[in-house]
Amino acid sequence: MTAVPPHYALAELVRYATDLFAAAGMPNDRAAIVAALLVEADAMGHDTHGLNLGAKYLDHLQSGIMVATGEPEVITDRGATVVWDGGYLSGVWLTWKAIQTACERAKQYGTVTMAIRRSHHIGCLGAFLPLATEQNLMITLASSDPSVAAVAPHGSYEPVFTPDPLAVGIPTPGDPILIDISASATTMGLSDRARDGDGRLPGQWLIDNKGQASDDPAVLEADPPGALLPLGGLDRGHKGFALGLMVEALTSGLGGFGRANGPSNWGAAVYLQVIDPEALGGLEAFTFQTGWLADRCRAAAVPDGQAPVRLPGDGALARKRQAVAKGLLLYPTIMADLAPWADRLGVAPPAPLS
């Protein structure tokens, strides 16, 4: 008989990750925030950017690449515009803290824009969006990693920038619209997983050093290396390239620190904007428009036998509700990667649901 893969209660996974990060030196309240947001990513189905990152974060905490304690340095604060230097503190915690600040101030100023430079990696952007939408606030969040080059400009095979994700949370009268996309055709996490698994991506989302599209992650290790393609691929990659340039300007540009400075520490440059619809046309009018559009899209005609239109975030929220009700099935390598850390740090692993 084939064994049934274990499912875990979300609260138990948060407890496990919290204990691991705290044992590695992170303050307990901060560890709990990071743990909850990583588990949130897994619950939404973004399993390359949830607890999959845990072992690397723990390694960086122990080595000092991720700074365990301290506060961000305030570079600029004009009330509605803020720049922090994160000093390579946990990017997940820094982004959470920035969203708390921006949401509070947006209710005063109407809109708040923040940039964070020299943050550690921030995890899954989509997991942060409900922090704002649950307060009926619209949020835009973007990040890049100035120390990493993985995506080629359209027309080139040379890696220059990162996938440069962009996420937007839009309140409606029902479930929010949760957009989380990248400026690249795929992500580094999925490329790494394909390389370590069956060796191929589902599509030709990479470019080799001959300028040919490829599904083989080995092209990224060639000499000279290939790269991830911009969103749109060989034919329409000018669109993803343009989107990536915008994200680079919003993150490294507005934060005042990026690729031109030659950083070597794995991390992030972050852009955040929160808007209170009440300060503009009014929340009721805003959600009337967003709700109408959401309903109209879901009701749009589809070919016979096809599923109804699904808005960005519908799948993630459905997966989370399923995980809350029946437990979460993690990607197979995650618990194995965390187990040596649990042994080393003396942390009890989570008990699977029966």
Side-chain angles (χ1 to χ4, degrees):
M1 181 181 295
T2 303
V4 177
H7 288 65
Y8 297 92
L10 298 185
E12 181 64 0
L13 289 173
V14 172
R15 188 278 308 165
Y16 181 48
T18 299
D19 290 351
L20 286 170
F21 293 133
M26 191 179 287
N28 195 74
D29 58 344
R30 197 170 298 190
I33 290 165
V34 175
L37 284 161
L38 292 183
V39 172
E40 176 86 353
D42 279 311
M44 287 180 158
H46 303 297
D47 60 10
T48 59
H49 281 61
L51 289 176
N52 186 62
L53 295 166
K56 190 165 188 176
Y57 284 5
L58 288 164
D59 180 67
H60 283 198
L61 275 169
Q62 293 274 279
S63 66
I65 295 173
M66 181 194 294
V67 177
T69 61
E71 296 291 329
E73 178 187 358
V74 178
I75 303 300
T76 301
D77 188 344
R78 297 187 180 183
T81 56
V82 182
V83 176
W84 288 348
D85 188 315
Y88 294 107
L89 290 160
S90 163
V92 177
W93 174 76
L94 280 168
T95 303
W96 173 88
K97 182 178 176 69
I99 291 172
Q100 306 306 306
T101 301
C103 287
E104 180 181 352
R105 293 191 185 192
K107 295 169 186 176
Q108 175 185 359
Y109 295 110
T111 181
V112 173
T113 300
M114 297 185 65
I116 310 171
R117 66 196 197 192
R118 298 200 319 134
S119 165
H120 196 271
H121 189 266
I122 75 169
C124 172
L125 273 63
F128 293 101
L129 302 180
L131 297 173
T133 59
E134 288 173 0
Q135 301 182 60
N136 287 316
L137 302 171
M138 181 172 171
I139 179 173
T140 301
L141 180 63
S143 74
S144 62
D145 184 348
S147 73
V148 173
V151 182
H154 184 57
S156 171
Y157 68 80
E158 182 181 359
V160 174
F161 48 91
T162 36
D164 290 355
L166 175 69
V168 182
I170 304 171
T172 79
D175 283 342
I177 299 167
L178 304 176
I179 300 166
D180 187 354
I181 62 170
S182 292
S184 56
T186 188
T187 65
M188 292 179 287
L190 287 174
S191 299
D192 290 343
R193 185 168 284 177
R195 180 195 62 209
D196 297 337
D198 61 14
R200 297 285 173 172
L201 286 162
Q204 291 190 323
W205 302 333
L206 310 173
I207 185 170
D208 66 20
N209 59 19
K210 305 298 183 185
Q212 300 299 309
S214 175
D215 62 358
D216 184 359
V219 305
L220 304 178
E221 308 298 328
D223 183 19
L228 278 62
L229 281 165
L231 187 65
L234 286 181
D235 293 336
R236 312 299 290 175
H238 62 284
K239 297 185 177 183
F241 179 31
L243 186 62
L245 291 172
M246 181 191 75
V247 171
E248 292 282 331
L250 291 174
T251 55
S252 293
L254 292 182
F257 182 89
R259 299 184 189 282
N261 301 97
S264 59
N265 209 70
W266 188 54
V270 184
Y271 168 85
L272 164 67
Q273 183 186 53
V274 173
I275 300 171
D276 183 359
E278 193 62 58
L280 295 159
L283 176 62
E284 184 177 353
F286 179 85
T287 55
F288 175 69
Q289 297 295 330
T290 60
W292 184 93
L293 185 60
D295 291 343
R296 183 65 186 86
C297 288
R298 291 189 180 101
V302 298
D304 289 343
Q306 296 295 311
V309 170
R310 189 179 71 185
L311 265 66
D314 284 354
L317 293 173
R319 287 187 287 270
K320 182 181 176 182
R321 291 182 181 115
Q322 178 80 358
V324 169
K326 297 187 176 180
L328 180 60
L329 176 64
L330 292 170
Y331 190 79
T333 61
I334 291 174
M335 294 304 289
D337 288 344
L338 291 174
W341 285 100
D343 291 342
R344 187 182 314 171
L345 298 171
V347 172
L353 296 171
S354 57

